[in-house]
Amino acid sequence: MSSVISRTGEAVEADSGPAQHPGPARRSLPASAAPVAASADAPATVPMAAPAAVPATAPKAAPTAVPVRLRGAVASLGGRPVLRGIDLTVRPGEVVALLGANGSGKSTTVKTVIGSVPLEHGALELFGMPYAKFRSWHRIGYVPQRTTAASGVPATVREVVSTGRLPQHRLLPFRRKDRAAVDRALDAVGMLDRAEDGVAALSGGQHQRVLIARALVGTPDLLIMDEPMAGVDAASQQVLADTLRREVERGAAVLLVLHELGPLEPLIDRAVVLRDGCVAHDGPPPPNTGQHALPGHDHVHPHTDDHLTTPGLLA
Amino acid sequence: MTEMFSLAFMQRALIAAALIGITAPAVGIYLVQRRQALMGDGIGHVALTGVGLGFIFQTSPVWMAVLVCILAAIVMELVRARGNNRGDIALAMLFYGGMACGRMLISKSPAASGASGSLDSYLWGSILAVDTADLVTIAALGAIVVAVTLGLRRQLFAVCQDEEFARVTGIPVRLLNLLLAVMAAVTVTVAMRVVGLLLVSAMMVVPVAAAQLLTRSFVATQALSIGLGVAVSLGGVAGSYQFDVPPGSAIVLLAIAVFAVFSAIAAPLAGLRHRSAAGAGGTAGPGVCDVVLPDQDGSRAGDPLGSPGLAQ
């Protein structure tokens, strides 16, 4: 498996960085903790756990470098200050949820972490490397917030997911092991049978699963997901939660932007709540976070129907 | 019909047309994918300034246009990358300024009297006047464009599909964007001699737009659009010889006719494909609803929220 070799190579590189905190003891996650309690009405056609999706790389060498360390992040969009000094750390193997109301700076924080929004002040380290020197992008899997699927030209599910493999094959031709990795990632999200379908024909939940497969295809050490549950039907939420649990068990760290904890709650180690571009809470996930606490919040459970919106979108 | 193949100028015209038919859609597909279908048009306008400079300095208008177009394409890419809200206004200034500037330069050129006639040949193409040296230039530039756009297909696809994600994969997004802009500029100047500056964008966009009506994957779209590009280019040149019409217009109108035909057959064809897939794999559901709804009175008992689906 090439991923093992490359990861080992990276681990060596990461070790040369500054010494970091060791990660917290991994919380054991019972596989029986069904994230969506009311999953009984999920259609049986959705494959749940796909064993082939978990590479048999067994015990992974514990990475010592801290995946994300953001210090005093200040950023603005179009002249309007959005982040006013955010501190955010994601330790190895940790699942961190970024919570907060709309406009509190959750997505901007994620975009500064991936370098889409430049930092005006503050410092960003990824896997122990300053952002400017960071090159190991293959260790990061990014799932953007997205509601629409297609671009101007048709593309199949496989073609979109294959772009996640670019850090591995680079300028070399796409080989059999790359194709196998794409198959595994598609299988993990239950979309292998739709591999040759056009992305324009997918529902919102299926599209989200494709974007997650695209992030998983390089077996990343850090998954960054921006509102993965937005506009996702219950069946896809279940698949997503299962996939995420397998990634966490594999040892990946996860940074999630969420509107509310919802079905992912049992997976989350720590919650960082933002308010007006500042960190308002950093610690164990608070009960009833997000919009639940606000008056007038209409709590409607997501349903199996693809066309219905989730509470995150309604709020 | 066959005597045109024995005429040297027609042979050169057909070869040039085929080269454009390959090159223009190969680049154009990425512009269409990024919803920048009119970028080629904008570059075409700016190219006129390059042609004007060529007249003024008595150098090759084509190479001047290549230089000016590459500069303009880089400026356009930088404006786009900044995500500026006023970006479209800035581009409009560039387009109209390029057009007006080109006309003015040509009027002031030493050979102003004869130049207006040759200006027409750049605006509308003059494929029948392509000489061997032109053909070598077109072939060389076309080969570079095809090598880049097909060789870096996966990288360019990723950048145009989702630029933010592509950046996180660590590929050099800015470099690829600039490369694509330069390739578009080169293609415009190469196609200038064949269909003319005013119709250059059509060859980059229309074959792609027609192909994607029938395809589901990017690879198939690219292959089919290049095939269509070659077919309509050759057909347009042959038709212009046969019916004594301008080749540039003939090529573009033929491409639009193909688009219209494909639009008409796209829906029935998709239905046919769906039915045959359903017959082979049995993946599709039944043709009509055969779900028996449960009794309305009893089914709600276990549902605490009543009917959440309807409530929304």
Side-chain angles (χ1 to χ4, degrees):
Chain A
M1 295 285 281
S2 67
S3 57
V4 176
I5 295 160
S6 70
R7 196 181 296 125
T8 319
E10 281 312 313
V12 172
E13 179 191 320
D15 283 341
S16 65
Q20 305 293 355
H21 310 304
R26 260 252 58 78
R27 206 166 74 181
S28 74
L29 291 153
S32 59
V36 179
S39 64
D41 53 345
T45 52
V46 177
M48 291 304 171
V54 184
T57 50
K60 180 175 129 183
T64 50
V66 175
V68 179
R69 177 184 294 249
L70 192 61
R71 286 283 167 270
V74 175
S76 57
L77 293 175
R80 189 174 55 91
V82 180
L83 305 183
R84 306 163 193 270
I86 300 269
D87 288 346
L88 175 69
T89 304
V90 180
R91 299 187 186 90
E94 195 178 29
V95 181
V96 176
L98 261 180
L99 301 164
N102 291 334
S104 59
K106 295 175 304 220
S107 286
T108 310
T109 304
V110 163
K111 286 184 197 299
T112 59
V113 169
I114 62 163
S116 276
V117 172
L119 279 179
E120 284 166 17
H121 298 287
L124 171 62
E125 282 181 13
L126 295 172
F127 291 99
M129 297 290 282
Y131 173 76
K133 290 186 182 169
F134 183 71
R135 295 290 176 272
S136 311
W137 287 105
H138 64 90
R139 299 184 73 176
I140 297 181
Y142 173 57
V143 182
Q145 183 179 19
R146 185 60 53 89
T147 46
T148 58
S151 62
V153 170
T156 61
V157 166
R158 178 180 297 283
E159 284 176 325
V160 171
V161 172
S162 296
T163 62
R165 194 70 186 171
L166 276 174
Q168 276 77 26
H169 72 88
R170 298 185 165 275
L171 291 174
L172 300 171
F174 205 71
R175 282 164 297 183
R176 186 176 300 161
K177 66 174 186 237
D178 298 314
R179 197 180 160 86
V182 170
D183 281 349
R184 272 201 308 277
L186 280 170
D187 197 27
V189 297
M191 291 292 288
L192 189 52
D193 56 332
R194 303 291 303 270
E196 310 307 326
D197 285 5
V199 283
L202 300 180
S203 72
Q206 290 167 333
H207 186 247
Q208 191 70 45
R209 282 148 73 176
V210 169
L211 295 187
I212 289 166
R214 182 179 70 171
L216 295 183
V217 76
T219 46
D221 296 327
L222 169 67
L223 262 176
I224 298 176
M225 300 185 168
D226 196 347
E227 299 261 16
M229 293 304 202
V232 174
D233 53 283
S236 290
Q237 289 201 359
Q238 176 68 58
V239 172
L240 197 156
D242 288 345
T243 307
L244 202 58
R245 190 175 57 240
R246 283 195 302 273
E247 289 300 307
V248 170
E249 282 164 359
R250 185 174 63 81
V254 184
L255 175 60
L256 285 162
V257 172
L258 290 177
H259 206 73
E260 55 174 28
L261 294 175
L264 297 178
E265 186 160 7
L267 289 169
I268 288 161
D269 296 316
R270 194 153 58 82
V272 175
V273 182
L274 300 187
R275 189 174 297 146
D276 290 332
C278 297
V279 175
H281 168 93
D282 186 348
N288 293 331
T289 15
Q291 298 300 296
H292 272 186
L294 300 181
H297 173 68
D298 227 4
H299 190 189
V300 183
H301 281 290
H303 211 60
T304 50
D305 195 321
D306 271 0
H307 302 295
L308 301 180
T309 50
T310 63
L313 283 183
L314 286 176
Chain B
M1 184 72 195
T2 49
E3 82 268 13
M4 68 175 157
F5 297 113
S6 58
L7 299 169
F9 75 92
M10 277 306 287
Q11 289 169 354
R12 287 195 297 269
L14 287 169
I15 293 172
L19 289 171
I20 302 307
I22 295 169
T23 314
V27 175
I29 190 167
Y30 298 106
L31 302 183
V32 174
Q33 192 189 10
R34 207 158 56 182
R35 303 188 194 282
Q36 277 191 302
L38 296 182
M39 183 178 173
D41 214 22
I43 298 174
H45 283 57
V46 177
L48 203 60
T49 297
V51 172
L53 285 173
F55 280 134
I56 286 274
F57 296 117
Q58 310 259 292
T59 56
S60 159
V62 172
W63 285 103
M64 262 317 187
V66 169
L67 277 181
V68 171
C69 283
I70 287 176
L71 278 178
I74 289 173
V75 169
M76 280 184 230
E77 170 52 30
L78 295 178
V79 168
R80 189 196 66 84
R82 276 182 59 197
N84 196 328
N85 289 343
R86 310 291 297 178
D88 59 333
I89 302 293
L91 295 185
M93 297 302 145
L94 199 60
F95 298 172
Y96 307 140
M99 193 91 179
C101 191
R103 185 69 188 89
M104 188 167 286
L105 286 172
I106 289 167
S107 76
K108 291 292 173 200
S109 72
S113 53
S116 61
S118 60
L119 173 62
D120 258 16
S121 78
Y122 289 100
L123 287 178
W124 300 105
S126 57
I127 193 170
L128 301 183
V130 168
D131 59 25
T132 312
D134 287 335
L135 207 53
V136 170
T137 308
I138 292 174
L141 291 177
I144 295 172
V145 171
V146 169
V148 168
T149 52
L150 298 188
L152 294 176
R153 176 172 59 80
R154 288 178 181 278
Q155 282 76 12
L156 292 172
F157 171 80
V159 169
C160 295
Q161 179 78 17
D162 188 340
E163 190 168 328
E164 190 172 57
F165 179 82
R167 193 174 294 120
V168 181
T169 63
I171 61 175
V173 170
R174 188 174 301 173
L175 186 68
L176 288 166
N177 274 326
L178 286 175
L179 192 63
L180 184 58
V182 168
M183 289 304 120
V186 169
T187 305
V188 165
T189 41
V190 165
M192 176 169 79
R193 294 303 299 273
V194 178
V195 286
L197 290 174
L198 296 180
L199 294 179
V200 104
S201 192
M203 279 308 287
M204 299 169 87
V205 174
V206 180
V208 178
Q212 69 178 3
L213 290 169
L214 301 188
T215 54
R216 263 189 309 195
S217 74
F218 184 83
V219 174
T221 310
Q222 195 170 32
L224 182 56
S225 62
I226 290 174
L228 283 179
V230 173
V232 298
S233 300
L234 294 178
V237 171
S240 81
Y241 178 85
Q242 210 67 22
F243 304 105
D244 192 24
V245 290
S249 320
I251 291 171
V252 171
L253 288 177
L254 197 58
I256 290 175
V258 170
F259 176 82
V261 170
F262 279 17
S263 308
I265 63 170
L269 208 68
L272 208 65
R273 194 157 52 186
H274 186 72
R275 270 197 296 281
S276 70
T283 49
V288 292
C289 297
D290 59 354
V291 179
V292 180
L293 290 177
D295 182 25
Q296 291 292 311
D297 301 325
S299 64
R300 298 278 176 81
D303 191 346
L305 284 177
S307 173
L310 291 176
Q312 290 183 49

